[in-house]
């Protein structure tokens, strides 16, 4: 047997590991062996063309060949065999731990100051943790003893290698070293000033002439890295928060904030100024809140980023909300409705006129539901007009108007003008005051479908909320057609999902209604790298759908009885938020902790 057959990266070793792990069948392994030389030659030519004949070429390995063939896994036929799966199988065969590196838990300084960037790229190695006198290094080749010894000599620490996918290591090296280099260069340019532009006491000071310019290339690169990083991590918001001695960067992922970077305080103002320049804000104004927006591209699609700045104790805080069209514009079937609730919702939103309300607190997914509904209702034969504060996401099929109080464009005022624009469907961002509500009622009375949001805890209480705003009961009876309340629950991570038994009596003691008497099988996430140890990955909405029926109209009086409205809604088949969330629990989609967190027991749940 040839010596190279025993090499960790030989064709024989790699294919045997994949067959043993069940990822490839023996037939697939033989096919790879027969095609490998032809594929290898083609990949070598492609690499030479891409980087030029004079540059040093990375040799094409059997792993490159396998990935190029895009084979379906033998054990999971609906999935392609990717690089991560290959390295997982190899790590097991080699006797090393596999580690999917979570970039949110990496220390920027540890990654970028332990070894030089060129060394990290050449050997595909990334320092990821320090503890008990040893340095954990993620590597695609744990047998590269020479490189490990070099790191040991430089750091005076024992090296503990863990295996990670090569592409993932190189991607993190690029992201972290690029961001660190930009921040360090910016800090060097501005670090000598010693003046803290962010202190509350100094807000009245005009912009300093020695302030780092927002168009400095290092600052531009740092902000670009930050945005790309947020997209990669599926973040919905980026928070940049000035503190006394540093600036925190946090990402909101699946509703939870994660601290990802701690930046030198000296670069905070420059980064804020860059973001302001991109969103066309007043860069000199640091004492008043401002709003703006940026349009950029993600994976070939336009993405809106909504910017808000506000002065806090140690400077200006920036929040960037990433308005992903894939999330804001979905098919109604994908939002999380039960079959019955979707039918009920579709029935009333397709009425020719009336008011349909979407209710829930901030961050409950109301904008996604409204935009998805508008897209579902739109066709070239209708005029859809929206009034928003601000416009969440620009969509060319809708005529969107931004509320601008300084220019006299208010919700209530613009609605009077909209009626002269011959609309069919009107969406009002929020029914927040009597003037807005009165104009919405007027629009509905004159034959328009009006969609809007209201801040109430559940669907039935929206009726009494409209009365509280000041709408007469007879106008509510004449215009309201339906109410939708909603919340977002985090879904169990499918990669670390496990079952466990639970006594239904215990669930009932927490206020969850379940009919079962036998022990239930529920699910939870153990916590893995893909979900960052949270056990949750992604979110789904739970709804409470209430069509406004004749019986509810009769109960809508000046002194409306809330309990009677809730009782009637239940009698007509309304399923509460908690009950729909409990269904997702029993279907194995979420956990009972999530159900209890986002819903609460109400009188009509009993």
């Amino acid at each position: 047997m040839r010596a190279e057959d025993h090499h960790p990266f030989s064709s024989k070793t790699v294919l045997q590991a994949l067959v043993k792990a069940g990822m490839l069948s023996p037939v697939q392994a033989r096919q790879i062996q027969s095609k490998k030389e032809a594929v290898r030659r083609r990949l070598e030519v492609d690499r030479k063309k891409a980087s030029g004949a004079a540059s040093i070429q990375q040799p094409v390995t059997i792993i490159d060949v396998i990935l190029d063939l895009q084979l379906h896994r033998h054990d999971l036929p609906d999935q392609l065999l990717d690089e991560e799966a290959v390295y997982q199988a190899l790590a097991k065969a080699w006797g090393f731990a596999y580690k999917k590196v979570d970039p949110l838990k990496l220390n920027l300084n540890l990654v970028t100051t332990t070894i030089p960037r060129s060394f990290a790229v050449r050997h595909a190695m990334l320092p990821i943790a320090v503890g008990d006198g040893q340095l954990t290094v993620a590597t695609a080749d744990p047998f590269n003893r020479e490189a490990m010894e070099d790191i040991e000599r430089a750091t005076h620490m024992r090296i503990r290698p863990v295996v990670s996918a090569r592409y993932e290591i190189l991607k993190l090296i690029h992201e972290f070293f690029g961001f660190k280099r930009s921040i360090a260069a910016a800090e060097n340019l501005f670090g000598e000033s010693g003046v803290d532009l962010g202190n509350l006491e100094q807000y009245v000071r005009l912009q300093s002439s020695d302030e780092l310019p927002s168009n400095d290339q290092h600052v531009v690169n740092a902000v670009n890295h930050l945005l790309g990083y947020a997209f990669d991590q599926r973040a919905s918001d980026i928070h940049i928060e000035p503190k006394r001695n540093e600036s925190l960067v946090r990402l909101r992922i699946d509703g939870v904030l994660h601290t990802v970077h701690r930046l030198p305080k000296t670069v905070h103002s420059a980064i804020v100024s860059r973001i302001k320049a991109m969103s066309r804000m007043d860069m000199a104004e640091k004492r008043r809140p401002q709003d703006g927006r940026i349009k950029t591209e993600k994976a070939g699609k336009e993405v809106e980023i909504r910017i808000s700045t506000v002065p806090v104790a140690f400077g200006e805080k920036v929040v960037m909300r990433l308005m992903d069209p894939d999330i804001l514009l979905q098919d109604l079937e994908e939002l999380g409705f039960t079959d019955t609730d979707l039918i009920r919702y579709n029935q009333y939103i397709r009425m020719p006129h009336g008011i349909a309300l979407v209710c829930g607190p901030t961050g409950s997914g109301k904008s996604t539901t409204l935009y998805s509904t508008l897209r579902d209702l739109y066709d070239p034969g209708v005029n859809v007009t929206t009034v928003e504060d601000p416009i969440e996401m620009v969509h060319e099929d809708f005529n969107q108007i931004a509320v601008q109080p300084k220019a006299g464009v208010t919700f209530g005022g613009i609605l009077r003008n909209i009626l002269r624009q011959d609309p069919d469907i009107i969406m009002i961002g929020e029914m927040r005051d009597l003037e807005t509500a009165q104009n919405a009622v007027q629009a509905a009375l004159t034959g328009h479908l009006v969609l809007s949001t209201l801040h109430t805890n559940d669907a039935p209480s929206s009726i009494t909320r409209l009365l509280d705003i000041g709408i007469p009961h007879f106008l509510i009876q004449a215009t309201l057609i339906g109410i939708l309340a909603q919340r977002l629950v985090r879904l169990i991570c499918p990669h670390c999902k496990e079952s466990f038994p639970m006594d239904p009596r215990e669930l009932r003691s927490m206020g969850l209604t379940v009919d079962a008497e036998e022990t239930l099988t529920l699910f939870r996430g153990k916590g893995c790298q893909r979900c960052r140890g949270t056990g949750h990955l992604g979110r789904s909405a739970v709804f409470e759908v209430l069509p406004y029926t004749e019986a509810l109209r009769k109960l809508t009086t000046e002194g409306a009885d809330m309990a009677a409205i809730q009782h009637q809604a239940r009698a007509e088949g309304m399923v509460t938020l908690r009950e729909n969330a409990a269904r997702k629990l029993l279907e194995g989609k979420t956990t009972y902790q999530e159900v209890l967190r986002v819903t609460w027991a109400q009188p009509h749940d009993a």
Side-chain angles (χ1 to χ4, degrees):
M1 189 177 285
R2 294 176 301 173
E4 57 265 30
D5 286 343
H6 293 294
H7 190 276
F9 288 99
S10 71
S11 300
K12 184 173 181 179
T13 303
V14 172
L15 291 173
Q16 278 181 346
L18 292 172
V19 170
K20 186 175 180 182
M23 296 178 185
L24 288 179
S25 68
V27 173
Q28 287 175 307
R30 287 194 291 273
Q31 288 174 343
I32 293 168
Q33 284 284 27
S34 65
K35 295 177 181 177
K36 69 178 182 183
E37 291 306 324
V39 174
R40 195 192 302 271
R41 285 194 295 272
R42 176 171 56 77
L43 289 175
E44 285 173 348
V45 171
D46 290 346
R47 284 189 182 183
K48 190 169 285 189
K49 284 180 181 175
S51 54
S55 62
I56 299 171
Q57 301 293 316
Q58 288 287 339
V60 175
T61 67
I62 185 63
I63 296 174
D64 297 321
V65 171
I66 292 168
L67 297 175
D68 183 76
L69 291 171
Q70 292 196 311
L71 300 164
H72 285 271
R73 288 178 57 158
H74 181 60
D75 54 346
L76 299 168
D78 59 331
Q79 292 184 21
L80 289 174
L81 182 61
D82 59 13
E83 189 171 351
E84 186 178 334
V86 171
Y87 276 99
Q88 280 179 333
L90 289 175
K92 188 172 182 180
W94 294 336
F96 286 92
Y98 179 82
K99 177 79 170 173
K100 181 174 174 60
V101 181
D102 182 357
L104 299 187
K105 293 181 179 174
L106 289 181
N107 182 303
L108 181 67
N109 287 329
L110 174 68
V111 171
T112 56
T113 60
T114 307
I115 58 177
R117 183 180 189 278
S118 57
F119 183 93
V121 171
R122 185 165 66 251
H123 298 289
M125 289 185 173
L126 188 74
I128 59 174
V130 174
D132 299 327
Q134 65 178 8
L135 176 69
T136 302
V137 174
T139 175
D141 182 4
F143 301 99
N144 187 348
R145 281 305 310 163
E146 185 180 344
M148 302 277 187
E149 288 166 2
D150 286 343
I151 299 174
E152 282 180 343
R153 281 193 292 271
T155 61
H156 305 291
M157 286 188 281
R158 297 192 317 277
I159 302 302
R160 176 179 166 258
V162 293
V163 175
S164 293
R166 182 183 180 85
Y167 83 95
E168 192 173 77
I169 293 172
L170 294 176
K171 182 168 178 279
L172 289 169
I173 290 170
H174 170 72
E175 286 177 352
F176 274 75
F177 276 91
F179 185 73
K180 175 70 174 181
R181 191 166 54 223
S182 300
I183 291 296
E187 185 183 16
N188 287 338
L189 284 174
F190 192 49
E192 297 172 3
S193 164
V195 178
D196 183 358
L197 300 176
N199 261 339
L200 193 62
E201 296 83 359
Q202 298 169 332
Y203 276 155
V204 293
R205 187 180 63 77
L206 295 177
Q207 188 171 10
S208 169
S209 59
D210 65 356
E211 184 166 346
L212 184 64
S214 64
N215 61 354
D216 176 85
Q217 193 57 46
H218 304 304
V219 177
V220 171
N221 288 340
V223 173
N224 290 346
H225 274 294
L226 201 54
L227 290 174
Y229 188 48
F231 288 139
D232 286 345
Q233 301 302 317
R234 302 181 302 106
S236 61
D237 301 84
I238 306 170
H239 291 233
I240 303 174
E241 305 174 358
K243 303 299 179 187
R244 189 182 303 278
N245 300 313
E246 61 185 1
S247 182
L248 293 185
V249 179
R250 302 201 286 172
L251 301 184
R252 187 179 294 281
I253 302 167
D254 292 338
V256 179
L257 282 169
H258 301 261
T259 301
V260 294
H261 293 306
R262 296 177 182 273
L263 307 181
K265 185 66 181 296
T266 49
V267 302
H268 177 81
S269 292
I271 287 176
V272 172
S273 294
R274 170 60 184 165
I275 293 166
K276 283 182 172 181
M278 292 169 71
S279 53
R280 298 180 182 177
M281 293 184 189
D282 182 351
M283 291 167 60
E285 178 56 74
K286 298 176 185 295
R287 294 168 296 167
R288 283 202 296 258
Q290 294 190 67
D291 291 306
R293 64 192 321 114
I294 300 168
K295 182 172 283 238
T296 185
E297 191 176 277
K298 169 196 163 191
K301 293 183 181 179
E302 285 189 349
V303 177
E304 294 270 344
I305 303 174
R306 213 170 70 196
I307 315 295
S308 170
T309 67
V310 66
V312 294
F314 297 107
E316 283 184 283
K317 178 183 175 182
V318 179
V319 174
M320 297 188 274
R321 170 154 287 188
L322 312 180
M323 313 304 292
D324 189 336
D326 291 337
I327 294 173
L328 268 181
L329 294 167
Q330 300 183 44
D331 293 334
L332 292 179
E333 293 82 2
E334 296 173 358
L335 293 180
F337 284 100
T338 63
D339 293 342
T340 305
D341 279 349
L342 182 59
I343 291 169
R344 288 157 67 91
Y345 183 61
N346 266 310
Q347 282 173 343
Y348 72 72
I349 63 169
R350 294 182 191 284
M351 290 185 180
H353 55 83
I355 296 174
L357 295 175
V358 178
C359 309
T362 302
S364 60
K366 298 189 299 294
S367 295
T368 297
T369 300
L370 280 176
Y371 271 94
S372 300
T373 301
L374 288 177
R375 191 181 73 163
D376 192 68
L377 294 174
Y378 174 80
D379 73 51
V382 300
N383 173 10
V384 177
T385 303
T386 75
V387 188
E388 303 171 66
D389 181 21
I391 295 172
E392 298 272 352
M393 190 189 73
V394 176
H395 193 285
E396 61 182 17
D397 289 339
F398 313 146
N399 300 294
Q400 294 168 281
I401 302 165
V403 170
Q404 300 177 63
K406 289 181 183 176
V409 181
T410 62
F411 272 116
I414 198 64
L415 277 170
R416 290 192 292 273
N417 296 298
I418 282 177
L419 295 180
R420 294 194 284 272
Q421 288 283 315
D422 187 28
D424 297 290
I425 300 170
I426 301 169
M427 192 268 271
I428 304 167
E430 185 185 340
M431 207 175 287
R432 58 176 63 166
D433 54 39
L434 178 59
E435 183 189 13
T436 305
Q438 285 174 331
N439 283 287
V441 166
Q442 190 61 40
L445 287 171
T446 52
H448 305 89
L449 179 64
V450 179
L451 306 178
S452 188
T453 66
L454 202 62
H455 287 288
T456 60
N457 290 330
D458 59 9
S461 60
S462 297
I463 296 171
T464 53
R465 175 78 179 120
L466 290 174
L467 290 167
D468 292 341
I469 288 175
I471 303 297
H473 68 277
F474 56 87
L475 289 180
I476 297 173
Q477 293 169 345
T479 55
L480 190 62
I481 56 175
I483 307 162
L484 176 78
Q486 69 178 85
R487 298 289 186 279
L488 291 176
V489 293
R490 290 184 293 171
L491 298 174
I492 297 169
C493 173
H495 306 288
C496 60
K497 190 174 182 178
E498 66 174 6
S499 62
F500 67 98
M502 187 142 192
D503 190 329
R505 288 173 297 183
E506 193 175 344
L507 288 176
R508 283 194 283 271
S509 71
M510 298 177 195
L512 294 178
T513 304
V514 288
D515 297 329
E517 296 301 329
E518 302 294 325
T519 299
L520 292 167
T521 300
L522 301 183
F523 294 87
R524 63 191 170 203
K526 289 187 291 187
C528 65
Q529 288 294 334
R530 289 176 187 259
C531 63
R532 300 179 182 85
T534 63
H536 297 101
L537 189 64
R539 291 189 290 177
S540 177
V542 290
F543 297 101
E544 185 173 276
V545 181
L546 179 61
Y548 192 58
T549 62
E550 190 59 38
L552 290 171
R553 283 188 176 88
K554 290 177 181 176
L555 291 172
T556 307
T557 59
E558 282 187 42
D561 182 351
M562 184 65 191
I565 292 173
Q566 289 174 337
H567 179 76
Q568 183 61 36
R570 299 286 281 132
E572 293 182 355
M574 183 190 77
V575 182
T576 66
L577 285 164
R578 171 158 284 192
E579 288 169 341
N580 271 328
R583 285 184 183 180
K584 278 188 164 54
L585 166 69
L586 297 175
E587 289 168 0
K589 294 178 181 176
T590 191
T591 62
Y592 70 85
Q593 292 95 334
E594 273 296 287
V595 174
L596 295 169
R597 184 179 70 86
V598 303
T599 67
W600 51 89
Q602 297 163 305
H604 52 290
D605 284 338

